[in-house]
Amino acid sequence: WAISMVYSRSFAIETKDGASRRAMVPFADLFNHVSESPVEYRAAAAIWEQEGYDEPPSPWYIEGDDIALRAPFDVAQGDE
């Protein structure tokens, strides 16, 4: 059970020095995300691979003692 929780609920977080770390943050896995079709994912994956990523770049960052989530685009107040 425990290992399945780690694999299904953890995600990569990028540190200030650019290193990637795995983290489990309570409730963070409940944030909405944009689903994409397999075709869209495959096209995006080619770009990520060119940029040196094995998986999509993480929107999560470590800022001091905090973990921050940054939207990859501007979001107007009241939008989801």
Side-chain angles (χ1 to χ4, degrees):
W1 175 84
I3 196 73
S4 67
M5 289 290 100
V6 171
Y7 281 116
S8 67
R9 302 291 184 213
S10 68
F11 49 88
I13 296 180
E14 192 170 309
T15 62
K16 287 182 181 181
D17 63 358
S20 182
R21 302 283 186 261
R22 300 294 300 173
M24 286 183 65
V25 181
F27 301 104
D29 61 317
L30 301 177
F31 282 101
N32 289 335
H33 59 86
V34 177
S35 59
E36 48 195 10
S37 72
V39 173
E40 292 170 320
Y41 186 89
R42 187 173 186 157
I47 295 169
W48 301 326
E49 288 173 0
Q50 288 175 353
E51 294 175 354
Y53 293 98
D54 291 332
E55 57 185 46
S58 176
W60 298 94
Y61 298 89
I62 296 175
E63 295 180 348
D65 291 334
D66 299 323
I67 295 176
L69 170 65
R70 295 192 188 129
F73 48 84
D74 292 335
V75 179
Q77 184 175 354
D79 286 351
E80 286 190 27

PDB file of all heavy atoms in Angstrom, residues 12-50:
ATOM      1  N   ALA A  12       7.524  15.461  -9.008  1.00  0.00           N
ATOM      2  CA  ALA A  12       8.843  16.101  -9.029  1.00  0.00           C
ATOM      3  C   ALA A  12       8.720  17.563  -8.648  1.00  0.00           C
ATOM      4  O   ALA A  12       7.790  18.256  -9.050  1.00  0.00           O
ATOM      5  CB  ALA A  12       9.458  15.976 -10.411  1.00  0.00           C
ATOM      6  N   ILE A  13       9.676  18.033  -7.867  1.00  0.00           N
ATOM      7  CA  ILE A  13       9.780  19.444  -7.493  1.00  0.00           C
ATOM      8  C   ILE A  13      11.179  19.904  -7.867  1.00  0.00           C
ATOM      9  O   ILE A  13      12.160  19.221  -7.597  1.00  0.00           O
ATOM     10  CB  ILE A  13       9.561  19.655  -5.983  1.00  0.00           C
ATOM     11  CG1 ILE A  13       8.144  19.257  -5.589  1.00  0.00           C
ATOM     12  CG2 ILE A  13       9.832  21.092  -5.596  1.00  0.00           C
ATOM     13  CD1 ILE A  13       7.871  19.434  -4.119  1.00  0.00           C
ATOM     14  N   GLU A  14      11.254  21.067  -8.481  1.00  0.00           N
ATOM     15  CA  GLU A  14      12.549  21.606  -8.889  1.00  0.00           C
ATOM     16  C   GLU A  14      13.075  22.560  -7.819  1.00  0.00           C
ATOM     17  O   GLU A  14      12.377  23.451  -7.372  1.00  0.00           O
ATOM     18  CB  GLU A  14      12.392  22.345 -10.213  1.00  0.00           C
ATOM     19  CG  GLU A  14      13.715  22.695 -10.846  1.00  0.00           C
ATOM     20  CD  GLU A  14      13.535  23.215 -12.255  1.00  0.00           C
ATOM     21  OE1 GLU A  14      12.853  22.552 -13.051  1.00  0.00           O
ATOM     22  OE2 GLU A  14      14.078  24.298 -12.533  1.00  0.00           O
ATOM     23  N   THR A  15      14.326  22.349  -7.402  1.00  0.00           N
ATOM     24  CA  THR A  15      14.955  23.225  -6.416  1.00  0.00           C
ATOM     25  C   THR A  15      15.556  24.439  -7.113  1.00  0.00           C
ATOM     26  O   THR A  15      15.625  24.496  -8.342  1.00  0.00           O
ATOM     27  CB  THR A  15      16.052  22.470  -5.638  1.00  0.00           C
ATOM     28  OG1 THR A  15      17.059  22.063  -6.561  1.00  0.00           O
ATOM     29  CG2 THR A  15      15.491  21.251  -4.922  1.00  0.00           C
ATOM     30  N   LYS A  16      15.992  25.418  -6.317  1.00  0.00           N
ATOM     31  CA  LYS A  16      16.572  26.640  -6.895  1.00  0.00           C
ATOM     32  C   LYS A  16      17.779  26.365  -7.775  1.00  0.00           C
ATOM     33  O   LYS A  16      18.029  27.065  -8.741  1.00  0.00           O
ATOM     34  CB  LYS A  16      16.959  27.614  -5.782  1.00  0.00           C
ATOM     35  CG  LYS A  16      15.790  28.269  -5.117  1.00  0.00           C
ATOM     36  CD  LYS A  16      16.251  29.258  -4.067  1.00  0.00           C
ATOM     37  CE  LYS A  16      15.058  29.892  -3.386  1.00  0.00           C
ATOM     38  NZ  LYS A  16      15.465  30.874  -2.389  1.00  0.00           N
ATOM     39  N   ASP A  17      18.534  25.325  -7.437  1.00  0.00           N
ATOM     40  CA  ASP A  17      19.724  25.012  -8.233  1.00  0.00           C
ATOM     41  C   ASP A  17      19.409  24.127  -9.435  1.00  0.00           C
ATOM     42  O   ASP A  17      20.301  23.679 -10.140  1.00  0.00           O
ATOM     43  CB  ASP A  17      20.812  24.382  -7.367  1.00  0.00           C
ATOM     44  CG  ASP A  17      20.390  23.051  -6.761  1.00  0.00           C
ATOM     45  OD1 ASP A  17      19.239  22.615  -6.977  1.00  0.00           O
ATOM     46  OD2 ASP A  17      21.217  22.439  -6.077  1.00  0.00           O
ATOM     47  N   GLY A  18      18.101  23.874  -9.685  1.00  0.00           N
ATOM     48  CA  GLY A  18      17.694  23.112 -10.857  1.00  0.00           C
ATOM     49  C   GLY A  18      17.613  21.612 -10.651  1.00  0.00           C
ATOM     50  O   GLY A  18      17.245  20.883 -11.567  1.00  0.00           O
ATOM     51  N   ALA A  19      17.931  21.141  -9.455  1.00  0.00           N
ATOM     52  CA  ALA A  19      17.839  19.703  -9.173  1.00  0.00           C
ATOM     53  C   ALA A  19      16.378  19.297  -9.025  1.00  0.00           C
ATOM     54  O   ALA A  19      15.530  20.112  -8.673  1.00  0.00           O
ATOM     55  CB  ALA A  19      18.598  19.371  -7.896  1.00  0.00           C
ATOM     56  N   SER A  20      16.084  18.062  -9.304  1.00  0.00           N
ATOM     57  CA  SER A  20      14.721  17.546  -9.190  1.00  0.00           C
ATOM     58  C   SER A  20      14.623  16.632  -7.982  1.00  0.00           C
ATOM     59  O   SER A  20      15.481  15.777  -7.772  1.00  0.00           O
ATOM     60  CB  SER A  20      14.347  16.793 -10.466  1.00  0.00           C
ATOM     61  OG  SER A  20      13.026  16.327 -10.384  1.00  0.00           O
ATOM     62  N   ARG A  21      13.576  16.815  -7.186  1.00  0.00           N
ATOM     63  CA  ARG A  21      13.331  15.994  -6.001  1.00  0.00           C
ATOM     64  C   ARG A  21      11.900  15.478  -6.053  1.00  0.00           C
ATOM     65  O   ARG A  21      11.026  16.129  -6.573  1.00  0.00           O
ATOM     66  CB  ARG A  21      13.497  16.815  -4.712  1.00  0.00           C
ATOM     67  CG  ARG A  21      14.850  17.453  -4.548  1.00  0.00           C
ATOM     68  CD  ARG A  21      15.878  16.434  -4.096  1.00  0.00           C
ATOM     69  NE  ARG A  21      17.144  17.053  -3.801  1.00  0.00           N
ATOM     70  CZ  ARG A  21      18.169  17.081  -4.636  1.00  0.00           C
ATOM     71  NH1 ARG A  21      18.058  16.533  -5.815  1.00  0.00           N
ATOM     72  NH2 ARG A  21      19.297  17.652  -4.306  1.00  0.00           N
ATOM     73  N   ARG A  22      11.655  14.278  -5.508  1.00  0.00           N
ATOM     74  CA  ARG A  22      10.298  13.744  -5.406  1.00  0.00           C
ATOM     75  C   ARG A  22       9.708  14.197  -4.083  1.00  0.00           C
ATOM     76  O   ARG A  22      10.411  14.253  -3.067  1.00  0.00           O
ATOM     77  CB  ARG A  22      10.292  12.211  -5.448  1.00  0.00           C
ATOM     78  CG  ARG A  22      10.862  11.579  -6.677  1.00  0.00           C
ATOM     79  CD  ARG A  22      10.118  11.817  -7.948  1.00  0.00           C
ATOM     80  NE  ARG A  22       8.746  11.349  -7.953  1.00  0.00           N
ATOM     81  CZ  ARG A  22       7.914  11.594  -8.952  1.00  0.00           C
ATOM     82  NH1 ARG A  22       8.309  12.276  -9.999  1.00  0.00           N
ATOM     83  NH2 ARG A  22       6.685  11.158  -8.912  1.00  0.00           N
ATOM     84  N   ALA A  23       8.414  14.526  -4.061  1.00  0.00           N
ATOM     85  CA  ALA A  23       7.771  14.996  -2.841  1.00  0.00           C
ATOM     86  C   ALA A  23       6.337  14.487  -2.765  1.00  0.00           C
ATOM     87  O   ALA A  23       5.681  14.291  -3.785  1.00  0.00           O
ATOM     88  CB  ALA A  23       7.766  16.516  -2.804  1.00  0.00           C
ATOM     89  N   MET A  24       5.887  14.274  -1.549  1.00  0.00           N
ATOM     90  CA  MET A  24       4.481  13.996  -1.278  1.00  0.00           C
ATOM     91  C   MET A  24       3.981  15.137  -0.414  1.00  0.00           C
ATOM     92  O   MET A  24       4.446  15.318   0.706  1.00  0.00           O
ATOM     93  CB  MET A  24       4.301  12.664  -0.549  1.00  0.00           C
ATOM     94  CG  MET A  24       4.494  11.460  -1.427  1.00  0.00           C
ATOM     95  SD  MET A  24       4.200   9.895  -0.584  1.00  0.00           S
ATOM     96  CE  MET A  24       2.464  10.012  -0.206  1.00  0.00           C
ATOM     97  N   VAL A  25       3.068  15.936  -0.956  1.00  0.00           N
ATOM     98  CA  VAL A  25       2.535  17.104  -0.262  1.00  0.00           C
ATOM     99  C   VAL A  25       1.048  16.874  -0.039  1.00  0.00           C
ATOM    100  O   VAL A  25       0.309  16.687  -1.010  1.00  0.00           O
ATOM    101  CB  VAL A  25       2.767  18.386  -1.083  1.00  0.00           C
ATOM    102  CG1 VAL A  25       2.234  19.596  -0.352  1.00  0.00           C
ATOM    103  CG2 VAL A  25       4.247  18.544  -1.400  1.00  0.00           C
ATOM    104  N   PRO A  26       0.590  16.868   1.221  1.00  0.00           N
ATOM    105  CA  PRO A  26      -0.831  16.621   1.480  1.00  0.00           C
ATOM    106  C   PRO A  26      -1.732  17.548   0.672  1.00  0.00           C
ATOM    107  O   PRO A  26      -1.499  18.755   0.599  1.00  0.00           O
ATOM    108  CB  PRO A  26      -0.971  16.898   2.985  1.00  0.00           C
ATOM    109  CG  PRO A  26       0.397  16.665   3.530  1.00  0.00           C
ATOM    110  CD  PRO A  26       1.343  17.112   2.447  1.00  0.00           C
ATOM    111  N   PHE A  27      -2.724  16.982   0.023  1.00  0.00           N
ATOM    112  CA  PHE A  27      -3.740  17.668  -0.770  1.00  0.00           C
ATOM    113  C   PHE A  27      -3.238  18.232  -2.097  1.00  0.00           C
ATOM    114  O   PHE A  27      -4.030  18.662  -2.920  1.00  0.00           O
ATOM    115  CB  PHE A  27      -4.436  18.778   0.031  1.00  0.00           C
ATOM    116  CG  PHE A  27      -5.100  18.272   1.268  1.00  0.00           C
ATOM    117  CD1 PHE A  27      -4.531  18.488   2.506  1.00  0.00           C
ATOM    118  CD2 PHE A  27      -6.274  17.547   1.191  1.00  0.00           C
ATOM    119  CE1 PHE A  27      -5.137  18.005   3.665  1.00  0.00           C
ATOM    120  CE2 PHE A  27      -6.888  17.052   2.335  1.00  0.00           C
ATOM    121  CZ  PHE A  27      -6.318  17.284   3.579  1.00  0.00           C
ATOM    122  N   ALA A  28      -1.951  18.257  -2.348  1.00  0.00           N
ATOM    123  CA  ALA A  28      -1.434  18.827  -3.594  1.00  0.00           C
ATOM    124  C   ALA A  28      -1.889  18.030  -4.806  1.00  0.00           C
ATOM    125  O   ALA A  28      -2.075  18.589  -5.884  1.00  0.00           O
ATOM    126  CB  ALA A  28       0.087  18.901  -3.555  1.00  0.00           C
ATOM    127  N   ASP A  29      -2.094  16.735  -4.640  1.00  0.00           N
ATOM    128  CA  ASP A  29      -2.535  15.917  -5.772  1.00  0.00           C
ATOM    129  C   ASP A  29      -3.999  16.184  -6.129  1.00  0.00           C
ATOM    130  O   ASP A  29      -4.495  15.689  -7.134  1.00  0.00           O
ATOM    131  CB  ASP A  29      -2.315  14.429  -5.495  1.00  0.00           C
ATOM    132  CG  ASP A  29      -3.098  13.945  -4.291  1.00  0.00           C
ATOM    133  OD1 ASP A  29      -3.128  14.652  -3.276  1.00  0.00           O
ATOM    134  OD2 ASP A  29      -3.683  12.853  -4.379  1.00  0.00           O
ATOM    135  N   LEU A  30      -4.692  17.009  -5.361  1.00  0.00           N
ATOM    136  CA  LEU A  30      -6.090  17.332  -5.635  1.00  0.00           C
ATOM    137  C   LEU A  30      -6.251  18.542  -6.551  1.00  0.00           C
ATOM    138  O   LEU A  30      -7.362  18.846  -6.978  1.00  0.00           O
ATOM    139  CB  LEU A  30      -6.838  17.584  -4.319  1.00  0.00           C
ATOM    140  CG  LEU A  30      -6.844  16.415  -3.333  1.00  0.00           C
ATOM    141  CD1 LEU A  30      -7.545  16.814  -2.050  1.00  0.00           C
ATOM    142  CD2 LEU A  30      -7.506  15.198  -3.951  1.00  0.00           C
ATOM    143  N   PHE A  31      -5.159  19.254  -6.856  1.00  0.00           N
ATOM    144  CA  PHE A  31      -5.255  20.406  -7.744  1.00  0.00           C
ATOM    145  C   PHE A  31      -5.726  19.965  -9.119  1.00  0.00           C
ATOM    146  O   PHE A  31      -5.335  18.918  -9.621  1.00  0.00           O
ATOM    147  CB  PHE A  31      -3.895  21.114  -7.884  1.00  0.00           C
ATOM    148  CG  PHE A  31      -3.560  21.983  -6.721  1.00  0.00           C
ATOM    149  CD1 PHE A  31      -2.675  21.538  -5.756  1.00  0.00           C
ATOM    150  CD2 PHE A  31      -4.121  23.231  -6.593  1.00  0.00           C
ATOM    151  CE1 PHE A  31      -2.352  22.334  -4.675  1.00  0.00           C
ATOM    152  CE2 PHE A  31      -3.816  24.045  -5.513  1.00  0.00           C
ATOM    153  CZ  PHE A  31      -2.928  23.585  -4.546  1.00  0.00           C
ATOM    154  N   ASN A  32      -6.554  20.795  -9.731  1.00  0.00           N
ATOM    155  CA  ASN A  32      -7.011  20.509 -11.096  1.00  0.00           C
ATOM    156  C   ASN A  32      -5.839  20.574 -12.054  1.00  0.00           C
ATOM    157  O   ASN A  32      -4.882  21.299 -11.841  1.00  0.00           O
ATOM    158  CB  ASN A  32      -8.060  21.532 -11.535  1.00  0.00           C
ATOM    159  CG  ASN A  32      -9.367  21.343 -10.818  1.00  0.00           C
ATOM    160  OD1 ASN A  32      -9.682  20.269 -10.363  1.00  0.00           O
ATOM    161  ND2 ASN A  32     -10.134  22.406 -10.725  1.00  0.00           N
ATOM    162  N   HIS A  33      -5.955  19.848 -13.131  1.00  0.00           N
ATOM    163  CA  HIS A  33      -4.945  19.911 -14.170  1.00  0.00           C
ATOM    164  C   HIS A  33      -5.634  19.764 -15.510  1.00  0.00           C
ATOM    165  O   HIS A  33      -6.740  19.242 -15.598  1.00  0.00           O
ATOM    166  CB  HIS A  33      -3.866  18.841 -13.983  1.00  0.00           C
ATOM    167  CG  HIS A  33      -4.415  17.449 -13.983  1.00  0.00           C
ATOM    168  ND1 HIS A  33      -4.609  16.751 -15.147  1.00  0.00           N
ATOM    169  CD2 HIS A  33      -4.840  16.659 -12.980  1.00  0.00           C
ATOM    170  CE1 HIS A  33      -5.125  15.568 -14.849  1.00  0.00           C
ATOM    171  NE2 HIS A  33      -5.268  15.480 -13.547  1.00  0.00           N
ATOM    172  N   VAL A  34      -5.011  20.227 -16.548  1.00  0.00           N
ATOM    173  CA  VAL A  34      -5.557  20.128 -17.891  1.00  0.00           C
ATOM    174  C   VAL A  34      -5.199  18.753 -18.443  1.00  0.00           C
ATOM    175  O   VAL A  34      -4.032  18.397 -18.523  1.00  0.00           O
ATOM    176  CB  VAL A  34      -4.969  21.233 -18.795  1.00  0.00           C
ATOM    177  CG1 VAL A  34      -5.480  21.090 -20.210  1.00  0.00           C
ATOM    178  CG2 VAL A  34      -5.294  22.602 -18.243  1.00  0.00           C
ATOM    179  N   SER A  35      -6.224  17.992 -18.792  1.00  0.00           N
ATOM    180  CA  SER A  35      -5.935  16.701 -19.411  1.00  0.00           C
ATOM    181  C   SER A  35      -5.655  16.932 -20.892  1.00  0.00           C
ATOM    182  O   SER A  35      -6.130  17.884 -21.490  1.00  0.00           O
ATOM    183  CB  SER A  35      -7.116  15.747 -19.227  1.00  0.00           C
ATOM    184  OG  SER A  35      -8.272  16.310 -19.804  1.00  0.00           O
ATOM    185  N   GLU A  36      -4.868  16.078 -21.455  1.00  0.00           N
ATOM    186  CA  GLU A  36      -4.526  16.227 -22.865  1.00  0.00           C
ATOM    187  C   GLU A  36      -4.666  14.871 -23.549  1.00  0.00           C
ATOM    188  O   GLU A  36      -4.552  13.828 -22.918  1.00  0.00           O
ATOM    189  CB  GLU A  36      -3.126  16.796 -23.034  1.00  0.00           C
ATOM    190  CG  GLU A  36      -2.099  16.111 -22.212  1.00  0.00           C
ATOM    191  CD  GLU A  36      -0.801  16.889 -22.094  1.00  0.00           C
ATOM    192  OE1 GLU A  36      -0.715  18.046 -22.492  1.00  0.00           O
ATOM    193  OE2 GLU A  36       0.138  16.286 -21.586  1.00  0.00           O
ATOM    194  N   SER A  37      -4.923  14.919 -24.820  1.00  0.00           N
ATOM    195  CA  SER A  37      -5.052  13.678 -25.573  1.00  0.00           C
ATOM    196  C   SER A  37      -3.671  13.059 -25.746  1.00  0.00           C
ATOM    197  O   SER A  37      -2.649  13.741 -25.616  1.00  0.00           O
ATOM    198  CB  SER A  37      -5.664  13.961 -26.944  1.00  0.00           C
ATOM    199  OG  SER A  37      -4.714  14.620 -27.767  1.00  0.00           O
ATOM    200  N   PRO A  38      -3.612  11.762 -26.063  1.00  0.00           N
ATOM    201  CA  PRO A  38      -2.309  11.131 -26.301  1.00  0.00           C
ATOM    202  C   PRO A  38      -1.521  11.808 -27.423  1.00  0.00           C
ATOM    203  O   PRO A  38      -0.298  11.890 -27.352  1.00  0.00           O
ATOM    204  CB  PRO A  38      -2.676   9.689 -26.674  1.00  0.00           C
ATOM    205  CG  PRO A  38      -3.982   9.458 -25.989  1.00  0.00           C
ATOM    206  CD  PRO A  38      -4.696  10.785 -26.055  1.00  0.00           C
ATOM    207  N   VAL A  39      -2.213  12.310 -28.432  1.00  0.00           N
ATOM    208  CA  VAL A  39      -1.528  12.996 -29.532  1.00  0.00           C
ATOM    209  C   VAL A  39      -0.881  14.288 -29.035  1.00  0.00           C
ATOM    210  O   VAL A  39       0.273  14.586 -29.353  1.00  0.00           O
ATOM    211  CB  VAL A  39      -2.517  13.282 -30.692  1.00  0.00           C
ATOM    212  CG1 VAL A  39      -1.864  14.148 -31.756  1.00  0.00           C
ATOM    213  CG2 VAL A  39      -3.019  11.987 -31.287  1.00  0.00           C
ATOM    214  N   GLU A  40      -1.620  15.058 -28.227  1.00  0.00           N
ATOM    215  CA  GLU A  40      -1.071  16.298 -27.672  1.00  0.00           C
ATOM    216  C   GLU A  40       0.111  15.996 -26.754  1.00  0.00           C
ATOM    217  O   GLU A  40       1.123  16.692 -26.772  1.00  0.00           O
ATOM    218  CB  GLU A  40      -2.147  17.065 -26.892  1.00  0.00           C
ATOM    219  CG  GLU A  40      -3.251  17.630 -27.759  1.00  0.00           C
ATOM    220  CD  GLU A  40      -4.399  18.168 -26.948  1.00  0.00           C
ATOM    221  OE1 GLU A  40      -4.786  17.546 -25.939  1.00  0.00           O
ATOM    222  OE2 GLU A  40      -4.930  19.224 -27.340  1.00  0.00           O
ATOM    223  N   TYR A  41      -0.025  14.946 -25.937  1.00  0.00           N
ATOM    224  CA  TYR A  41       1.054  14.575 -25.024  1.00  0.00           C
ATOM    225  C   TYR A  41       2.304  14.181 -25.803  1.00  0.00           C
ATOM    226  O   TYR A  41       3.408  14.591 -25.463  1.00  0.00           O
ATOM    227  CB  TYR A  41       0.616  13.422 -24.113  1.00  0.00           C
ATOM    228  CG  TYR A  41       1.640  13.092 -23.064  1.00  0.00           C
ATOM    229  CD1 TYR A  41       1.627  13.743 -21.841  1.00  0.00           C
ATOM    230  CD2 TYR A  41       2.636  12.152 -23.296  1.00  0.00           C
ATOM    231  CE1 TYR A  41       2.576  13.462 -20.871  1.00  0.00           C
ATOM    232  CE2 TYR A  41       3.587  11.863 -22.339  1.00  0.00           C
ATOM    233  CZ  TYR A  41       3.546  12.516 -21.126  1.00  0.00           C
ATOM    234  OH  TYR A  41       4.486  12.245 -20.187  1.00  0.00           O
ATOM    235  N   ARG A  42       2.119  13.394 -26.854  1.00  0.00           N
ATOM    236  CA  ARG A  42       3.270  12.943 -27.649  1.00  0.00           C
ATOM    237  C   ARG A  42       3.986  14.121 -28.302  1.00  0.00           C
ATOM    238  O   ARG A  42       5.217  14.180 -28.326  1.00  0.00           O
ATOM    239  CB  ARG A  42       2.814  11.944 -28.699  1.00  0.00           C
ATOM    240  CG  ARG A  42       3.948  11.322 -29.440  1.00  0.00           C
ATOM    241  CD  ARG A  42       3.479  10.234 -30.352  1.00  0.00           C
ATOM    242  NE  ARG A  42       4.629   9.578 -30.917  1.00  0.00           N
ATOM    243  CZ  ARG A  42       4.632   8.368 -31.387  1.00  0.00           C
ATOM    244  NH1 ARG A  42       3.532   7.669 -31.366  1.00  0.00           N
ATOM    245  NH2 ARG A  42       5.721   7.832 -31.882  1.00  0.00           N
ATOM    246  N   ALA A  43       3.223  15.090 -28.822  1.00  0.00           N
ATOM    247  CA  ALA A  43       3.834  16.274 -29.442  1.00  0.00           C
ATOM    248  C   ALA A  43       4.599  17.083 -28.393  1.00  0.00           C
ATOM    249  O   ALA A  43       5.719  17.536 -28.637  1.00  0.00           O
ATOM    250  CB  ALA A  43       2.767  17.131 -30.108  1.00  0.00           C
ATOM    251  N   ALA A  44       4.003  17.248 -27.210  1.00  0.00           N
ATOM    252  CA  ALA A  44       4.668  17.999 -26.147  1.00  0.00           C
ATOM    253  C   ALA A  44       5.896  17.241 -25.641  1.00  0.00           C
ATOM    254  O   ALA A  44       6.916  17.855 -25.317  1.00  0.00           O
ATOM    255  CB  ALA A  44       3.697  18.266 -25.003  1.00  0.00           C
ATOM    256  N   ALA A  45       5.805  15.911 -25.574  1.00  0.00           N
ATOM    257  CA  ALA A  45       6.924  15.105 -25.081  1.00  0.00           C
ATOM    258  C   ALA A  45       8.158  15.278 -25.954  1.00  0.00           C
ATOM    259  O   ALA A  45       9.284  15.297 -25.447  1.00  0.00           O
ATOM    260  CB  ALA A  45       6.531  13.637 -25.002  1.00  0.00           C
ATOM    261  N   ALA A  46       7.970  15.433 -27.250  1.00  0.00           N
ATOM    262  CA  ALA A  46       9.117  15.648 -28.151  1.00  0.00           C
ATOM    263  C   ALA A  46       9.840  16.941 -27.778  1.00  0.00           C
ATOM    264  O   ALA A  46      11.068  16.992 -27.768  1.00  0.00           O
ATOM    265  CB  ALA A  46       8.645  15.693 -29.598  1.00  0.00           C
ATOM    266  N   ILE A  47       9.088  17.968 -27.428  1.00  0.00           N
ATOM    267  CA  ILE A  47       9.691  19.247 -27.015  1.00  0.00           C
ATOM    268  C   ILE A  47      10.411  19.080 -25.686  1.00  0.00           C
ATOM    269  O   ILE A  47      11.532  19.547 -25.508  1.00  0.00           O
ATOM    270  CB  ILE A  47       8.614  20.345 -26.938  1.00  0.00           C
ATOM    271  CG1 ILE A  47       8.043  20.605 -28.332  1.00  0.00           C
ATOM    272  CG2 ILE A  47       9.190  21.626 -26.325  1.00  0.00           C
ATOM    273  CD1 ILE A  47       6.801  21.462 -28.337  1.00  0.00           C
ATOM    274  N   TRP A  48       9.769  18.390 -24.724  1.00  0.00           N
ATOM    275  CA  TRP A  48      10.404  18.189 -23.413  1.00  0.00           C
ATOM    276  C   TRP A  48      11.709  17.431 -23.564  1.00  0.00           C
ATOM    277  O   TRP A  48      12.691  17.764 -22.910  1.00  0.00           O
ATOM    278  CB  TRP A  48       9.488  17.409 -22.466  1.00  0.00           C
ATOM    279  CG  TRP A  48       8.171  18.056 -22.212  1.00  0.00           C
ATOM    280  CD1 TRP A  48       7.918  19.395 -22.144  1.00  0.00           C
ATOM    281  CD2 TRP A  48       6.936  17.408 -21.996  1.00  0.00           C
ATOM    282  NE1 TRP A  48       6.591  19.608 -21.896  1.00  0.00           N
ATOM    283  CE2 TRP A  48       5.966  18.406 -21.804  1.00  0.00           C
ATOM    284  CE3 TRP A  48       6.551  16.079 -21.952  1.00  0.00           C
ATOM    285  CZ2 TRP A  48       4.631  18.115 -21.553  1.00  0.00           C
ATOM    286  CZ3 TRP A  48       5.223  15.789 -21.702  1.00  0.00           C
ATOM    287  CH2 TRP A  48       4.282  16.800 -21.503  1.00  0.00           C
ATOM    288  N   GLU A  49      11.712  16.414 -24.422  1.00  0.00           N
ATOM    289  CA  GLU A  49      12.931  15.629 -24.611  1.00  0.00           C
ATOM    290  C   GLU A  49      14.047  16.474 -25.209  1.00  0.00           C
ATOM    291  O   GLU A  49      15.205  16.342 -24.825  1.00  0.00           O
ATOM    292  CB  GLU A  49      12.636  14.420 -25.489  1.00  0.00           C
ATOM    293  CG  GLU A  49      11.810  13.367 -24.778  1.00  0.00           C
ATOM    294  CD  GLU A  49      11.364  12.243 -25.685  1.00  0.00           C
ATOM    295  OE1 GLU A  49      11.694  12.262 -26.891  1.00  0.00           O
ATOM    296  OE2 GLU A  49      10.674  11.342 -25.183  1.00  0.00           O
ATOM    297  N   GLN A  50      13.706  17.376 -26.139  1.00  0.00           N
ATOM    298  CA  GLN A  50      14.709  18.272 -26.724  1.00  0.00           C
ATOM    299  C   GLN A  50      15.295  19.198 -25.657  1.00  0.00           C
ATOM    300  O   GLN A  50      16.447  19.589 -25.745  1.00  0.00           O
ATOM    301  CB  GLN A  50      14.097  19.114 -27.843  1.00  0.00           C
ATOM    302  CG  GLN A  50      13.796  18.326 -29.087  1.00  0.00           C
ATOM    303  CD  GLN A  50      13.082  19.168 -30.140  1.00  0.00           C
ATOM    304  OE1 GLN A  50      12.705  20.308 -29.892  1.00  0.00           O
ATOM    305  NE2 GLN A  50      12.898  18.591 -31.315  1.00  0.00           N
TER     306      GLN A  50
END
